[in-house]
Amino acid sequence: MKQIFIFIAIFFYACSSAPDLSEKTIRLAISSNPKGFDPAFATDVVTGKMCMLLYDTMLRYDNKTNLVPGIATHWEISDDGKIYTFHLRDDVHFTNGVKLTSADVKQSIERISSPKTNSPMIWIFERIDTIETPNEHTIKITIGEPFAPFIQFFAMPSAAIVPSETKNPDFAFHPVGSGPWILEKWEQDNFLRFKRNPNYHEGAAKMEFLEFRIITETMTQSAEFEVGNLDVFEIPETEFARWHNSKKWKNRIRYKDDLDVYYIGLNCEKPPLNNPQVRRALSLGLDRKKIVDMQLGGKVRLAHGPIPPGLMGYNPMMPADPYLPEQAKKLLKKAGFEDGFEITLWQSQSSRWNILAESIQAYWREIGVNCKIKKTDWNFFKDAIRQGQCDAYLLDWIADYPDAENFLFPLFHSSQTQKRNRYANPKVDALIEEIQREIDLRKRINLIRKVEEEIIADAPWIFLWHSRKYFLTSSAMDNYEPPMMFFAEQWKNIDKRRVINGER
Amino acid sequence: MNHRFFRKWRKNPTSWIGLILVLLVVVMGMFAEWIAPFDPLKQDLENALTGASLEHWMGTDYNGRDIFSRIVFGARISITVGIGASLISLILGTFIGLISGFFGGVLERILMRFTDIVFGFPALLFMIALTAAFPPSLLLTFLAIGAVSWPPTARLIRAHVLKIRESQFITAEIALGIPTWKILLKHVIPNTLSPLIVIFTMGMANAVLAEASLSFLGLGAQPPLPSWGAMISTGREFLYHAPHISLWPGLAIATAVFGFNLLGDSLRDAQEI
Amino acid sequence: MNFLVHAFQRFFGAAISFFGVITLTFFVMNIAPGDPVLSAVGERYNEETLEQFRKELHLDKPVLVQYGHYLKKMLRGDLGKSFVPPHHSVSAKIRQKFPYTLKLAFAALLVSVLLGLTIGTISGLFRGKWIDRFGMFFALSGISAPVFWVGLVLIWLVSVKLGFLPPSGSSSWKHLILPAVTLGLRSAAFLARITRSHLIDEFGKDYLRTARAKGLSEPIVVMKHAFKNVLIPTVTIIGTDFGSFLSGAVLTESIFSWPGIGRMAMDAIQKRDFPEIQGVVIFTACVFIVINLIVDLLYGLLDPRVRRSEEI
């Protein structure tokens, strides 16, 4: 019997965790694994965030949406908008000791553009004609015709600079970069741990470690935050009421407006959704305001169109679609669907969509539309959209770069919608192309507003809302402000000890 | 299945508790339209997440739907899947058991090995794989449950067939040239009826649990169908401030399964004379 | 000699079971609709890369040829690489996850044995008394309540209401307690029922009557004689349950975000990552079959009353 107890004691001892490094570590939570650390595959939020920790980009965003120097100290754009010249820092080294030069930048760009890499981000450098490297710290990029948002691409995670000898197939797991952090350990579905890069060219990060726990359950994230195991915690939509009613936390809740749009994509080729009146009816049949009030704590901003507030060209005067079920029924009747019809609403497998989808289903039932919900894994979901199998799909779009063009071209230009909801309007196409070329700010804003109105009239989507993320921080990080762009945070200037030692 | 069996069964008070619980669930499922005070799909966001009240006996869920009404309608799904799955497993098991028991030889060996393989396989994982591979539907759910739960039936039937085959009168009938299927029908089926009833009852309990598990994982009944497992699954997001959403349907599952198990236990006890 | 023959038979049987599992897995995966390669090549695929990928994986050949390649790979113990970028090695991932499953399985076993044997013994000793009824009510409830619900109730009571333990995660031993109780409870309920019924059987036997007649007091009688005979069937159950814990407690692991084999299986299935599904199912079945083989070899044929209490 004794042996058993000894065994148990050893067993539990073995289970207990390593020495406490919490004061030296920034402890965060993410809800899924990254897809590795290869910037060529940074299509999702988590992978993008991770890449920005490990690598450098030529440009970066500040806490707002302004471009600031990364490893390019300054840059010039020619008057015709075709030649981009970047001047690089001279003191940047990869963590393997090799110096970062313009050759690495060139190869990194070519790596993304090469079909061999099979990168889903190939589009960002598609326009490039030539890349020249006159010397070690200058790079000159020429594009065929002016493209207004082009400069933004150099701050995206996929524009990260990797060492030029990168051919290693294991690169996605064993990254080498020049960024502020070095990957220490990745245990899938459990945690990612980074240690600071002592030779980082802007000086080593203030904290020694950075840890991301991978916690899928929002409930667990809250609990871990409550017991003090997380430094930053985003309040899940389903728990709004609980935190907002808590005396202890109420006054510490802060928020950040995201550059995104939540929407239901409608397949514009599939009957009966090929009829704009039907699409419009589906939109009028939803009480967004109530969904937002009751399920999202009433704090998000209703969307009238795709472009989120905070971007140049957002039109604050346009109202979102109201809830008019009778009008919706009338529209359906006019379109010849007096007895309703059946559609399938697709969603990815994530609990936050479940509740919303069920609510939409119930609303559409009221106007006679029989809606089936189909949940699939993300890859299959995306594939079904691409193949045009989905009648309707619930999705969100987060800004890759802070320009309204990012909410127009990839989503509504007919060359792109062939992979999405098959929406096509030549007038919209022409306007979007004009927006891409136009450099003059005022003219651009007018064009953006015009194209938005055009799109809204066609109702290719049901626009839902732009999200606002509510978050809490541990007292050690009380004055933490998250940046507008989701990947812009590098955690290198955060210092928890200052607060702990009372030096604030 | 004789009088002594019934007398013994009747005397046991647990038999009655089991039967009442089972009947309760069955009646709920059959007459859901009359019992449920609300439309189980009717959304009312203003009244979302309310606790128990005179109007909503078990409160409302995240979309303001009446939880009691959803549980009543959920009984229908559980019972349907339970019966469907148990029947499939019963038919499959009986068939395989009969064939292997009666014909023996290589066929028996192959079939019994197959039975062992299916029995030795982690059942839940297999059901998940099956239901995830195809578009989810109720039919698929009970096919998947049926497909993994037949081995005990097959073993039991085979054992009975072997016992009967040894007996004198069968040997005589074979000698007389009576067709095999007639012999099977005449002797084996009636003799295995009472153990089959026990297996069926227990099978119902397991099938209800399995359906709930699959729906909990999002692989069974699809929304807006008020499946008990699915209700728990979505409700757990609200465990902190509205635990009733997932606690009630769980209680419903537990009660139903408890009833079937109790009934099965009492039937089995009555057989062991 | 007899034992050797028996052992050989069992061993052979296990090998055939294993082969059956491999085959079944392959064909179930193969008839499933949907093109698994699409998720592998990423968003901007072209037909060329698609074809190349198919060729690499022999997916362009007839099914039986594919099956041949698949068997060859399995026999070499090569579980392949995930279809989904970044294409990690499946066996490496299993190696990373299995320790967690092992940890949980041991802890659940502890719960199951302690609780199951105690309740079963007490119920058996006080047959027909209220404490027996209570014990058996508890046991039947344990079998009837769905595992995932028990888990949620425990989270609600222990973590939310009382704040004693964390609701899920895996970073310390505290995180282990709730999942272990959840997983062990069902098995404990089975064990209690089996222990009780065997104890009662033993009490009816002659040798115990004589022992009692000799004036030995009840507890000693139980400990000395009956328990020895009850041990064999219970250990058999414990063994098979342990096998099923190890083969992945899908529900428990997903409720408590426990990074073990069960959750890996669930994730792989949802992503339809074929190599990962195959790998995890085969590994699982292997563990399951080996444990069952050991139990079998040790205790001979299973008692017909012994049922597996698989997690549902």
Side-chain angles (χ1 to χ4, degrees), chain B residues 164-230:
Chain B
I164 293 166
R165 205 170 63 173
E166 298 302 305
S167 62
Q168 299 262 304
F169 59 95
I170 298 265
T171 330
E173 281 188 1
I174 293 176
L176 281 174
I178 295 174
T180 320
W181 63 270
K182 263 193 181 167
I183 303 175
L184 286 177
L185 226 60
K186 201 169 142 197
H187 298 288
V188 179
I189 301 281
N191 269 304
T192 47
L193 209 55
S194 48
L196 276 187
I197 289 177
V198 174
I199 288 199
F200 185 81
T201 319
M202 298 289 202
M204 283 291 287
N206 283 328
V208 168
L209 268 185
E211 187 274 330
S213 307
L214 289 176
S215 295
F216 178 77
L217 295 170
L219 300 168
Q222 296 299 302
L225 284 185
S227 157
W228 292 341

Side-chain angles (χ1 to χ4, degrees), chain C residues 109 191 194 198 229-243 291-292 294-304 306-309:
Chain C
L109 193 70
L191 206 56
I194 296 289
H198 279 274
N229 289 331
V230 174
L231 214 60
I232 292 173
T234 48
V235 167
T236 313
I237 282 222
I238 293 170
T240 35
D241 276 0
F242 188 59
I291 299 260
N292 275 316
I294 295 171
V295 171
D296 249 21
L297 287 181
L298 287 179
Y299 301 105
L301 286 168
L302 302 181
D303 184 298
V306 172
R307 278 198 292 153
R308 213 151 41 95
S309 71

Side-chain angles (χ1 to χ4, degrees), chain B residues 100-117:
Chain B
S100 61
F102 209 84
F103 295 108
V106 185
L107 188 69
E108 180 186 14
R109 285 206 173 178
I110 294 175
L111 284 178
M112 280 300 109
R113 181 43 65 188
F114 182 59
T115 312
D116 285 350
I117 292 174

Side-chain angles (χ1 to χ4, degrees), chain A residues 223, chain B residues 240, chain C residues 154-168 178:
Chain B
Y240 270 100
Chain C
L154 282 177
I155 292 177
W156 177 64
L157 263 177
V158 181
S159 309
V160 177
K161 284 282 139 194
L162 304 172
F164 286 162
L165 292 170
S168 63
L178 286 186

Side-chain angles (χ1 to χ4, degrees), chain A residues 238 290 295 358-359 365, chain B residues 39 43 46 63 65 241:
Chain A
T238 50
K290 199 175 272 174
Q295 295 188 340
E358 280 187 43
S359 202
R365 187 166 164 258
Chain B
D39 175 355
Q43 171 170 263
E46 308 229 342
N63 279 345
R65 295 173 295 197
H241 51 292

Side-chain angles (χ1 to χ4, degrees), chain A residues 238-447:
Chain A
T238 50
E239 286 191 15
F240 249 89
R242 179 164 86 91
W243 293 91
H244 278 262
N245 295 337
S246 141
K247 267 197 196 112
K248 184 175 171 198
W249 298 108
K250 202 163 102 191
N251 297 323
R252 299 192 48 189
I253 296 176
R254 280 170 295 151
Y255 68 83
K256 174 213 161 192
D257 284 335
D258 274 339
L259 293 174
D260 65 3
V261 58
Y262 281 66
Y263 66 93
I264 303 170
L266 301 172
N267 190 321
C268 297
E269 269 179 5
K270 261 193 170 182
L273 294 177
N274 55 354
N275 183 339
Q277 271 182 338
V278 174
R279 301 200 293 260
R280 179 100 183 123
L282 289 180
S283 176
L284 293 175
L286 280 188
D287 193 346
R288 295 169 180 67
K289 180 90 176 57
K290 199 175 272 174
I291 294 178
V292 162
D293 281 347
M294 305 312 296
Q295 295 188 340
L296 303 173
K299 301 299 200 298
V300 301
R301 302 146 296 161
L302 293 183
H304 64 262
I307 298 164
L311 287 189
M312 214 76 85
Y314 172 74
N315 188 346
M317 310 308 281
M318 291 264 280
D321 263 356
Y323 177 49
L324 299 168
E326 289 312 313
Q327 177 106 26
K329 276 187 217 162
K330 257 185 229 157
L331 277 174
L332 286 181
K333 195 173 165 186
K334 248 206 294 193
F337 295 101
E338 208 166 335
D339 304 321
F341 55 90
E342 197 170 280
I343 62 168
T344 309
L345 176 65
W346 291 59
Q347 61 161 105
S348 75
Q349 221 131 19
S350 158
S351 50
R352 69 195 173 126
W353 297 115
N354 290 345
I355 291 157
L356 179 60
E358 280 187 43
S359 202
I360 292 167
Q361 184 181 46
Y363 271 116
W364 283 349
R365 187 166 164 258
E366 305 272 303
I367 56 168
V369 175
N370 183 3
C371 169
K372 276 192 192 150
I373 295 173
K374 186 156 172 81
K375 283 177 231 180
T376 59
D377 158 66
W378 179 249
N379 283 322
F380 275 75
F381 177 53
K382 288 294 285 281
D383 198 54
I385 294 174
R386 198 159 45 212
Q387 315 242 337
Q389 290 170 10
C390 312
D391 297 334
Y393 53 91
L394 258 175
L395 206 55
D396 57 342
W397 178 263
I398 306 169
D400 293 311
Y401 45 90
D403 190 304
E405 190 265 353
N406 189 228
F407 285 79
L408 296 170
F409 180 76
L411 303 170
F412 300 106
H413 192 276
S414 61
S415 67
Q416 304 298 308
T417 52
Q418 282 316 307
K419 289 174 292 186
R420 296 179 174 275
N421 66 340
R422 273 74 180 157
Y423 167 67
N425 180 345
K427 221 163 144 192
V428 169
D429 285 358
L431 280 168
I432 292 176
E433 283 158 28
E434 213 174 319
I435 290 167
Q436 291 188 325
R437 283 189 303 262
E438 187 56 66
I439 300 172
D440 183 83
L441 253 185
R442 189 148 316 147
K443 279 188 204 156
R444 248 185 137 223
I445 289 175
N446 282 333
L447 286 170

Side-chain angles (χ1 to χ4, degrees), chain A residues 99-371:
Chain A
K99 193 175 171 203
L100 189 156
T101 65
S102 55
D104 295 303
V105 179
K106 182 174 184 233
Q107 295 225 21
S108 296
I109 293 174
E110 283 168 351
R111 184 168 170 271
I112 299 278
S113 330
S114 158
K116 256 195 230 144
T117 314
N118 196 20
S119 165
M121 300 303 287
I122 195 167
W123 56 272
I124 60 173
F125 295 133
E126 253 170 359
R127 289 163 218 276
I128 294 179
D129 276 351
T130 57
I131 309 172
E132 289 160 70
T133 49
N135 59 39
E136 237 183 33
H137 38 82
T138 311
I139 185 156
K140 207 165 120 190
I141 294 168
T142 317
I143 52 177
E145 56 180 294
F147 182 66
F150 189 61
I151 187 73
Q152 312 268 2
F153 292 174
F154 296 98
M156 282 172 64
S158 291
I161 293 145
V162 298
S164 37
E165 74 269 26
T166 295
K167 283 183 191 81
N168 191 350
D170 267 357
F171 184 68
F173 298 104
H174 305 288
V176 175
S178 56
W181 301 94
I182 299 170
L183 179 69
E184 198 176 66
K185 193 168 184 199
W186 174 20
E187 207 171 277
Q188 294 218 14
D189 300 320
N190 203 2
F191 65 83
L192 288 146
R193 194 162 43 230
F194 297 88
K195 59 173 192 256
R196 67 180 165 202
N197 175 4
N199 304 318
Y200 185 57
H201 60 83
E202 285 178 18
K206 300 252 167 56
M207 300 298 291
E208 261 177 73
F209 301 100
L210 178 60
E211 188 182 72
F212 292 88
R213 302 251 313 272
I214 299 157
I215 308 179
T216 26
E217 304 287 318
T218 50
M219 199 172 69
T220 312
Q221 292 195 8
S222 341
E224 290 291 315
F225 177 75
E226 265 186 303
V227 294
N229 288 340
L230 292 176
D231 285 322
V232 181
F233 158 65
E234 195 184 286
I235 301 174
E237 286 121 351
T238 50
E239 286 191 15
F240 249 89
R242 179 164 86 91
W243 293 91
H244 278 262
N245 295 337
S246 141
K247 267 197 196 112
K248 184 175 171 198
W249 298 108
K250 202 163 102 191
N251 297 323
R252 299 192 48 189
I253 296 176
R254 280 170 295 151
Y255 68 83
K256 174 213 161 192
D257 284 335
D258 274 339
L259 293 174
D260 65 3
V261 58
Y262 281 66
Y263 66 93
I264 303 170
L266 301 172
N267 190 321
C268 297
E269 269 179 5
K270 261 193 170 182
L273 294 177
N274 55 354
N275 183 339
Q277 271 182 338
V278 174
R279 301 200 293 260
R280 179 100 183 123
L282 289 180
S283 176
L284 293 175
L286 280 188
D287 193 346
R288 295 169 180 67
K289 180 90 176 57
K290 199 175 272 174
I291 294 178
V292 162
D293 281 347
M294 305 312 296
Q295 295 188 340
L296 303 173
K299 301 299 200 298
V300 301
R301 302 146 296 161
L302 293 183
H304 64 262
I307 298 164
L311 287 189
M312 214 76 85
Y314 172 74
N315 188 346
M317 310 308 281
M318 291 264 280
D321 263 356
Y323 177 49
L324 299 168
E326 289 312 313
Q327 177 106 26
K329 276 187 217 162
K330 257 185 229 157
L331 277 174
L332 286 181
K333 195 173 165 186
K334 248 206 294 193
F337 295 101
E338 208 166 335
D339 304 321
F341 55 90
E342 197 170 280
I343 62 168
T344 309
L345 176 65
W346 291 59
Q347 61 161 105
S348 75
Q349 221 131 19
S350 158
S351 50
R352 69 195 173 126
W353 297 115
N354 290 345
I355 291 157
L356 179 60
E358 280 187 43
S359 202
I360 292 167
Q361 184 181 46
Y363 271 116
W364 283 349
R365 187 166 164 258
E366 305 272 303
I367 56 168
V369 175
N370 183 3
C371 169

